[in-house]
Amino acid sequence: MDECKLVLQGTLADFVATLDARQDGGQHAHGSLVERFRQLPVLWDQMLDLFKVDTFSKQIQGPLLTKVAASDRRGRPLGQCLNFATQDYLALSYHPAIRQAAIDAIETYGVHAAGSPALVGNSVPSVSLERAMSQWLGMAECVLFPTGWGACFGAVKALVRRTDHVVLDELAHASLQEGARAATSSVYAFRHLCVNSLERRLKRLRAQDPSGGILVVTESLYSMDSDVPDLRAHQELAHRYGANLLVDVAHDLGVLGRAHGLGALEVQGLLGQIDLVVGSFSKAFAANCGFVASNHPGLKLAMRFGSGPNTFSTAPSPIQTSVALKGLEIVQSSEGLACRQRIAERATALRQTLTGMGLQVLGQPSAIVPVLMGGVARSRLTARFMVEQGVLVNLVEHPAVARNTSRLRLQLMATHEPEHLQACAEALGTAIDQADGMLSDINAGRGPQSQLV
């Protein structure tokens, strides 16, 4: 891969592979693990210096609103931008009641939990949040984790032994996949959302191991594709083959399910019925912590004393748990209902506009609007030109998605107005034209085998 192609089209994995290939026997003594990354910042900087396509690690200068002041990862100003890039779906991160809850928590409890939940890291708001979440989800127990990632990883790792099996949707979040592989070598993927593929895998496993534990893992809303599984079918299949189902509800809890905001669990009539529900407060509740809920009382103790991200991590701070409690209160209120209605309306309108422009929009209406772009070079250039027009978006590329399926993941907030949607769509159309024009110019002097896409 030549330098131009590597810089404009190479992913981080490609960069590392190229650096590994440059190791020349002895230049880096004893194959140092850290020396292999010496040139990585140079390559990463070239994306920004040569093509202005470094779309990662941006900074927001101020609160997360629909219009934000942003800068690139070097701190250079990008100006005022329409914000379609943050996971603050109900726009609660700067909500006055949320800010006041944080202030009150500081005044009452201080800023730090200062201990593991297995010891003395629990606080009045953390215990209250566990109880409130149990009641809302219709589950017997709930245990908090410092992050959503920790909840997903920790739940799988605590449940599964070396002799057990994990069967995951092939697009399950990295936290779930890494938790599975940390727990057992018996990890299998089934085709995305495909219950027939899941059944075939479960049937084979049960034939091989009639009594072993099996955990089936899926999500209620997939953030890269904005699509939803048939959770009842997953649960019925799991139980038919003596397995348990774990569902990650990070991206739809509080946002979908208009009546109560309980996402696909509510829409599909499964409240209180799924074996394990894991999630995060970081998408709709303006807080960083995560949770695991179930109807099995012993599971809370198992998580508390046998899950590393819970047992050996400092508990969520009283600020975070107080914020999450206030977020839950808003989600359950008429204000939360109005926010969900706006998200549904905005998502449908934006998807219709983009589809009408001939773009491929994945999945179904949610706060996530994934627009398929294809190759990395085209996607990075499009993201660059959108920012230059004052619209902040996220680019998702391999390995987060399959190669040549890069996408712009537009993320809605309840405070986006119709004129914001129109401006975003217009900027995207112009940015695609600019990106295609630049790629055409670059490729004009290149051979068929070195075309950038």
Side-chain angles (χ1 to χ4, degrees), residues 139 155-156 159 167-169 176 190 195 198 202 214-220 222 229-240 242-248 265 268 270 273-278 292-296 299:
M139 309 293 271
V156 177
L159 282 167
V167 182
L168 309 99
D169 187 295
L176 298 164
F190 62 94
V195 292
L198 171 60
L202 290 172
I214 303 176
L215 181 66
V216 176
V217 177
T218 189
E219 299 181 28
S220 54
Y222 281 83
D230 182 341
L231 295 176
R232 186 174 297 279
H234 282 62
Q235 177 92 323
E236 289 175 352
L237 272 177
H239 289 180
R240 186 186 308 169
N244 294 111
L245 177 67
L246 180 150
V247 178
D248 177 8
L265 298 180
Q268 298 185 27
L270 291 169
Q273 299 178 43
I274 300 296
D275 294 322
L276 293 109
V277 176
V278 301
V292 178
S294 79
N295 284 319
H296 308 280
L299 197 59

Side-chain angles (χ1 to χ4, degrees), residues 149-316:
W149 173 284
C152 290
F153 182 98
V156 177
K157 183 67 169 60
L159 282 167
V160 176
R161 300 293 180 264
R162 291 292 177 189
T163 55
D164 295 330
H165 315 276
V166 182
V167 182
L168 309 99
D169 187 295
E170 63 185 351
L171 298 187
H173 193 268
S175 58
L176 298 164
Q177 300 210 32
E178 291 188 22
R181 288 180 172 81
T184 177
S185 60
S186 183
V187 180
Y188 307 93
F190 62 94
R191 283 198 295 117
H192 182 49
L193 305 188
C194 182
V195 292
N196 291 331
S197 177
L198 171 60
E199 182 168 21
R200 288 193 297 270
R201 175 56 66 185
L202 290 172
K203 189 174 183 178
R204 285 196 295 269
L205 271 179
R206 268 293 164 245
Q208 297 165 8
D209 185 357
S211 59
I214 303 176
L215 181 66
V216 176
V217 177
T218 189
E219 299 181 28
S220 54
L221 176 73
Y222 281 83
S223 66
M224 300 302 174
D225 295 77
S226 190
D227 52 5
V228 176
D230 182 341
L231 295 176
R232 186 174 297 279
H234 282 62
Q235 177 92 323
E236 289 175 352
L237 272 177
H239 289 180
R240 186 186 308 169
Y241 289 93
N244 294 111
L245 177 67
L246 180 150
V247 178
D248 177 8
V249 298
H251 284 276
D252 67 342
L253 191 68
V255 185
L256 300 181
R258 290 198 184 186
H260 304 290
L262 283 151
L265 298 180
E266 176 184 340
V267 172
Q268 298 185 27
L270 291 169
L271 289 178
Q273 299 178 43
I274 300 296
D275 294 322
L276 293 109
V277 176
V278 301
S280 172
F281 296 98
S282 61
K283 311 303 186 294
F285 302 84
N288 285 345
C289 40
F291 67 89
V292 178
S294 79
N295 284 319
H296 308 280
L299 197 59
K300 182 168 185 174
L301 287 176
M303 295 292 164
R304 188 72 88 211
F305 298 103
S307 176
N310 190 282
T311 310
F312 301 109
S313 292
T314 299

Side-chain angles (χ1 to χ4, degrees), residues 80 90 99 123 175 191 235 255 265-266 339 350 400 449:
Q80 287 287 329
L90 300 188
R99 286 183 283 152
S123 63
S175 58
R191 283 198 295 117
Q235 177 92 323
V255 185
L265 298 180
E266 176 184 340
C339 286
L350 182 57
Q449 302 302 315

